[in-house]
Amino acid sequence: MDINAFIARFDAGLKDIENGSPAVARQRYDQLCQTFAPPNPSGMTITDETWKSVALRHFIPASAQSGQVLYIHGGGFTLGSIDSHHGVAASLAEQLKRHVISISYCLAPEASYRNMLEECLKVAKATKPIAVVGDSAGGRIAIDLAPLLHRSLLHRSLLVGLIYPPVGKLNQQTLGADAPLLSRHDVLSLIPYCPWIGNHVDTFPPEMQIEVLSVEHDPLTAPLEKAIASWRDSGMQVGYRCAKNMVHAALHAHADLPEMQSAWQDFCQALNKRLTQNSSYW
């Protein structure tokens, strides 16, 4: 598949979601994303659990190393689940050779952003992950979750993985150009669901470790790169790679898009290297 074929297919699926009820839109979004998911990795154990009314999916690769990773899906705070991002979570577990826990957190408009964050925090405290990886809207949650975990949890070596998240003060001046599958208007329409992204400057404890994956054609990439420069200036260890020619949501088709697959593997290898280096902390 080339990127234009992916854009056409995904865009057609998004148009089919428009104007539906939240329940119908979420079901169609799950089905759309699943059409791009590769087969489950060989030998991986996948089980579902409901923990205090929260749906979790566990991905445990064969010969898994110690330590659990919490994965937080994207979907603009209104869509997404353990089903829509099954392929991404399974690939993450296979690449890291670690137990990955994917969470179906509560969604807007029924739930507030604070509800989403609190639900993810409760799961994180119960599972004690060594890393938190967030995709798009899930990346925003991971950014806000990490300092809370750093203060309340556990260890100083928590690793954060961010995949094209909304960061910083997002407005007409800070966003990059419109791109396929995600426009500037799309991004700004998220502010009612997550007021943080309209006026918030993201800061982390200097010892926090972060790996970031972005795509070339995405209005979120410009503010993300500005934030990364600021984080590095504050002394943080931040790894970064940008998938050339790719667009927001392309991670769903990482198995069929060579540029996305290469950047994804580099991102996962960087996470794994840090986890290996941090192993003495946990």
Side-chain angles (χ1 to χ4, degrees):
M1 183 191 307
D2 67 22
I3 189 59
N4 292 322
F6 168 76
I7 291 169
R9 277 181 57 188
F10 206 87
D11 190 50
L14 292 178
K15 285 182 169 59
D16 190 46
I17 291 170
E18 293 176 358
N19 302 318
S21 68
V24 171
R26 288 164 188 164
Q27 181 182 37
R28 291 177 179 174
Y29 181 75
D30 285 356
Q31 292 169 346
L32 168 64
C33 296
Q34 287 174 318
T35 64
F36 297 99
N40 292 329
S42 177
M44 180 169 289
T45 301
I46 301 173
T47 59
D48 288 347
E49 173 191 9
T50 300
W51 182 84
K52 295 187 177 180
S53 78
V54 181
L56 306 176
R57 182 163 293 166
H58 299 264
F59 299 83
I60 306 177
S63 303
Q65 300 180 55
S66 61
Q68 299 181 139
V69 175
L70 181 63
Y71 173 73
I72 308 174
H73 68 76
F77 305 110
T78 64
L79 302 170
S81 70
I82 55 177
D83 292 324
S84 63
H85 289 67
H86 179 103
V88 176
S91 178
L92 181 66
E94 181 67 9
Q95 296 271 356
L96 299 184
K97 295 299 180 186
R98 284 179 168 84
H99 178 177
V100 167
I101 303 170
S102 180
I103 174 173
S104 277
Y105 54 89
C106 54
L107 298 171
E110 299 93 330
S112 70
Y113 181 73
R114 187 174 298 277
N115 295 148
M116 302 177 206
L117 184 59
E118 288 175 350
E119 201 161 75
C120 291
L121 179 60
K122 289 177 183 177
V123 171
K125 286 183 176 180
T127 57
K128 297 179 173 58
I130 58 174
V132 175
V133 178
D135 165 8
S136 192
R140 175 69 257 169
I141 295 174
I143 288 170
D144 295 323
L145 183 65
L148 299 176
L149 290 178
H150 176 78
R151 287 197 299 267
S152 68
L153 200 70
L154 314 164
H155 42 62
R156 296 168 61 87
S157 58
L158 182 71
L159 175 61
V160 181
L162 303 175
I163 304 160
Y164 38 61
V167 301
K169 296 182 178 181
L170 299 185
N171 52 51
Q172 293 287 358
Q173 288 69 48
T174 60
L175 289 170
D178 287 340
L181 304 185
L182 191 68
S183 69
R184 293 156 61 90
H185 174 76
D186 293 333
V187 174
L188 296 177
S189 70
L190 300 178
I191 292 177
Y193 304 126
C194 181
W196 272 262
I197 63 176
N199 57 16
H200 189 63
V201 175
D202 304 307
T203 58
F204 293 97
E207 63 272 15
M208 194 75 71
Q209 298 181 31
I210 301 177
E211 290 292 338
V212 185
L213 170 61
S214 74
V215 289
E216 182 178 7
H217 303 296
D218 185 338
L220 293 173
T221 298
L224 177 58
E225 291 182 341
K226 183 177 180 180
I228 290 169
S230 175
W231 296 338
R232 286 173 170 169
D233 286 345
S234 71
M236 295 183 62
Q237 303 176 48
V238 185
Y240 178 61
R241 72 280 308 143
C242 180
K244 298 300 181 184
N245 304 315
M246 295 294 101
V247 298
H248 203 89
L251 186 58
H252 288 293
H254 67 273
D256 297 314
L257 295 169
E259 295 95 337
M260 196 72 236
Q261 184 178 59
S262 177
W264 172 240
Q265 290 178 340
D266 182 52
F267 172 74
C268 292
Q269 288 170 3
L271 289 174
N272 209 26
K273 181 178 180 180
R274 288 193 190 256
L275 290 173
T276 300
Q277 293 172 341
N278 292 344
S279 60
S280 61
Y281 290 98
W282 40 267

